[in-house]
Amino acid sequence: MAEINKNGQIIPIDPRTALLLLLLVTIAVFSQHSFYVEIATLLVIFGLFLYGGLAESGLKFVLQFGFLLLLQYAIFPVAPKLFTDTFSILAAYARKVLPCAMMGAFLVKRIPMRYIVLAMRKWRFPQKLIIPLSVTIRYFPAIREEMGYIRDAMKLRRISGAARIEAYIVPLMFSAANTAEELGAAAVTRGIENPAPKTSVIELRLCPRDYVLIGCGIVLAAAAFHLR
Amino acid sequence: MTAIQVNISRKLKGKDLITIGIFSAIYFVFNFIFMLVSGFHPVLWILMPGLIALFTGVPYMIMASKVQKPGAIFLMGFITGLIYFATGMFTVIILITFALACVLAEAVRYLTKYKSFAGNMVSFAVFSVGMIGSPLPVWLFKDSFFDQISEQGMSTEYLSSLNALANNTILVVMILAPAVLAIAGALIARALFKKHFEKAGIVKTWQR
């Protein structure tokens, strides 16, 4: 079963497997023309969710997919024209990217960022790319949080129109610039500029389950090209 | 007495990399918002590169001011492209135009020595045009593109309104809009620099 690390986090699969699977699912989703491949992709990822102990969130994605199918095949043909016009492209697009979004959600929920950094290091990504990329991914939740605070502050002061946009952007930039200063100082203190190769307490090892998953991904991507 | 050595290294340091990472996150979020909005109507899709340019001017110019070194824009573009690609939202065409735009924007910055407002504004205009790769397939592979999206379940109304837009005039508008609106975005950024950021010491004043 899934491994549990010292911090009590469940790490169901090797981060490299998860990243490869994301890539393969993306290839499969965007080159498939067959409904069966679409369903198979979804089921493989759903299986992965069950294995990683994320049954509830996996079920939510499957239900969303079902809802989109219902919308496209049962509701759009009979709905008013305006409704269909507005939502048809969104529904088609959402259905298309749903497996990728699901795989992405799995990564976010089950693979901690340090494992992803480690995977990139194993693949010999340059350090100059790993650092900003990991900062970018870690900063997304901070942006969301910041936006919430700004919204609360704005409620107190009745700001409207174009001033609202300014009132969002300016504090966001201030906090970003300050975070960059502080994080930069902290990272330099902790030796980010040390040219010696980085070491890690975590050891990555590919297990049979990783090979099985990568195999599934390759089969799906190959099937996407050949089945019509 | 030895004079204090001024470090004029052009290599990206730890702090620069972190700054690039943070502003790439903000750039990506703004970009993504308009990517989502563009799903509502063909006109929004075609104007998307321009709208993104108008709103991302501020983060781009702050980053350009804070990291006056080669590679900053390239990394920002690479990160944006990588996240979009990994989540399946970039086609090959947009990857190509985006990469070209990043390289050209870096070249503009190199030639204008990184320090001037005008040079960075031009590099931002070039960088912004990279997003045209998203609607470009409409013109590049006109017929096969329409076949493909109708197969994906787009409504006939959407197809016909997109078809009506797929002419050469709109193509020129689509390409020029990001360049023009990028300049507007950069000017907005300069106004905000004067009003807020320079006073607070977050960014340096641009050199002439």
Side-chain angles (χ1 to χ4, degrees):
Chain A
M1 258 323 268
E3 282 162 36
I4 294 173
N5 74 1
K6 281 176 197 142
N7 298 337
Q9 291 159 314
I10 308 165
I11 315 292
I13 56 172
D14 192 283
R16 287 169 291 179
T17 313
L19 289 171
L20 266 180
L21 214 54
L22 179 66
L23 184 70
L24 289 168
V25 163
T26 304
I27 294 172
V29 159
F30 282 88
S31 42
Q32 56 94 355
H33 301 271
S34 141
F35 186 62
Y36 297 112
V37 175
E38 198 179 0
I39 294 292
T41 312
L42 202 71
L43 285 180
V44 167
I45 306 173
F46 185 58
L48 187 61
F49 268 67
L50 292 181
Y51 179 71
L54 293 165
E56 200 182 322
S57 121
L59 206 60
K60 259 186 214 156
F61 275 106
V62 173
L63 285 178
Q64 275 174 25
F65 186 77
F67 174 70
L68 288 171
L69 284 185
L70 188 75
L71 208 60
Q72 281 190 317
Y73 292 106
I75 298 177
F76 282 156
V78 293
K81 196 170 153 302
L82 185 70
F83 179 82
T84 310
D85 275 6
T86 317
F87 293 106
S88 67
I89 185 163
L90 276 185
Y93 198 69
R95 177 179 158 192
K96 198 95 185 144
V97 300
L98 194 115
C100 303
M102 199 168 163
M103 198 56 223
F106 181 83
L107 265 162
V108 170
K109 285 190 172 132
R110 278 292 177 258
I111 313 287
M113 196 59 213
R114 57 194 303 207
Y115 282 76
I116 294 177
V117 169
L118 202 58
M120 290 195 286
R121 226 183 266 157
K122 282 253 172 181
W123 281 335
R124 295 176 196 283
F125 276 40
Q127 195 67 12
K128 285 209 162 97
L129 177 64
I130 296 178
I131 297 171
L133 185 61
S134 54
V135 170
T136 302
I137 296 170
R138 281 183 175 141
Y139 199 65
F140 287 136
I143 294 178
R144 184 186 225 169
E145 205 176 304
E146 205 65 44
M147 290 296 236
Y149 294 146
I150 297 170
R151 202 173 305 130
D152 289 346
M154 250 194 281
K155 273 183 198 151
L156 296 172
R157 300 181 51 183
R158 226 176 262 161
I159 298 170
S160 59
R164 269 187 92 82
I165 298 174
E166 191 185 337
Y168 265 117
I169 289 181
V170 173
L172 196 63
M173 296 301 137
F174 267 98
S175 76
N178 288 334
T179 310
E181 287 301 318
E182 287 161 14
L183 207 58
V188 170
T189 321
R190 292 172 68 175
I192 202 172
E193 281 165 3
N194 186 351
K198 305 269 184 282
T199 53
S200 174
V201 284
I202 307 160
E203 256 183 70
L204 295 185
R205 214 174 297 121
L206 290 171
C207 311
R209 56 160 189 252
D210 293 306
Y211 293 113
V212 170
L213 276 168
I214 295 170
C216 282
I218 291 172
V219 168
L220 283 173
F225 277 106
H226 293 294
L227 292 180
R228 293 259 142 187
Chain B
M1 285 280 280
T2 47
I4 298 164
Q5 265 201 330
V6 182
N7 195 356
I8 47 161
S9 164
R10 283 275 182 233
K11 280 178 90 178
L12 292 168
K13 290 281 181 58
K15 202 188 114 190
D16 301 319
L17 294 172
I18 289 172
T19 308
I20 294 168
I22 287 182
F23 284 95
S24 301
I26 294 177
Y27 176 80
F28 182 87
V29 168
F30 285 10
N31 192 312
F32 186 65
I33 291 171
F34 288 101
M35 198 77 138
L36 286 181
V37 169
S38 73
F40 280 106
H41 198 272
V43 173
L44 283 175
W45 187 31
I46 282 161
L47 285 178
M48 178 191 79
L51 291 173
I52 289 175
L54 186 62
F55 283 89
T56 52
V58 181
Y60 184 99
M61 293 305 272
I62 293 185
M63 194 192 78
S65 147
K66 285 179 83 72
V67 187
Q68 298 180 352
K69 294 175 181 179
I73 306 309
F74 187 74
L75 274 173
M76 185 189 229
F78 195 89
I79 290 170
T80 309
L82 195 67
I83 300 175
Y84 268 133
F85 179 71
T87 48
M89 283 179 275
F90 262 20
T91 57
V92 177
I93 300 294
I94 189 166
L95 282 177
I96 293 170
T97 59
F98 205 63
L100 275 177
C102 285
V103 171
L104 287 176
E106 278 291 344
V108 170
R109 258 162 72 87
Y110 178 78
L111 293 173
T112 55
K113 309 266 189 299
Y114 303 96
K115 286 196 168 112
S116 72
F117 170 76
N120 282 300
M121 179 175 74
V122 173
S123 83
F124 178 53
V126 173
F127 177 76
S128 297
V129 175
M131 285 302 294
I132 62 165
S134 173
L136 203 59
V138 178
W139 284 272
L140 276 185
F141 324 103
K142 211 171 170 189
D143 295 327
S144 63
F145 181 78
F146 279 103
D147 288 347
Q148 194 197 334
I149 63 169
S150 70
E151 186 195 329
Q152 283 170 12
M154 299 296 169
S155 67
T156 46
E157 289 81 6
Y158 186 90
L159 287 177
S160 61
S161 50
L162 188 60
N163 213 345
L165 286 169
N167 57 48
N168 288 341
T169 323
I170 302 289
L171 179 64
V172 173
V173 170
M174 199 261 302
I175 295 171
L176 286 181
V180 173
L181 290 174
I183 288 170
L187 291 172
I188 293 172
R190 187 165 70 168
L192 289 180
F193 269 46
K194 287 206 175 119
K195 193 173 164 192
H196 302 284
F197 302 129
E198 282 171 13
K199 261 187 264 172
I202 283 181
V203 294
K204 284 171 242 159
T205 315
W206 295 110
Q207 288 185 7
R208 297 222 156 253

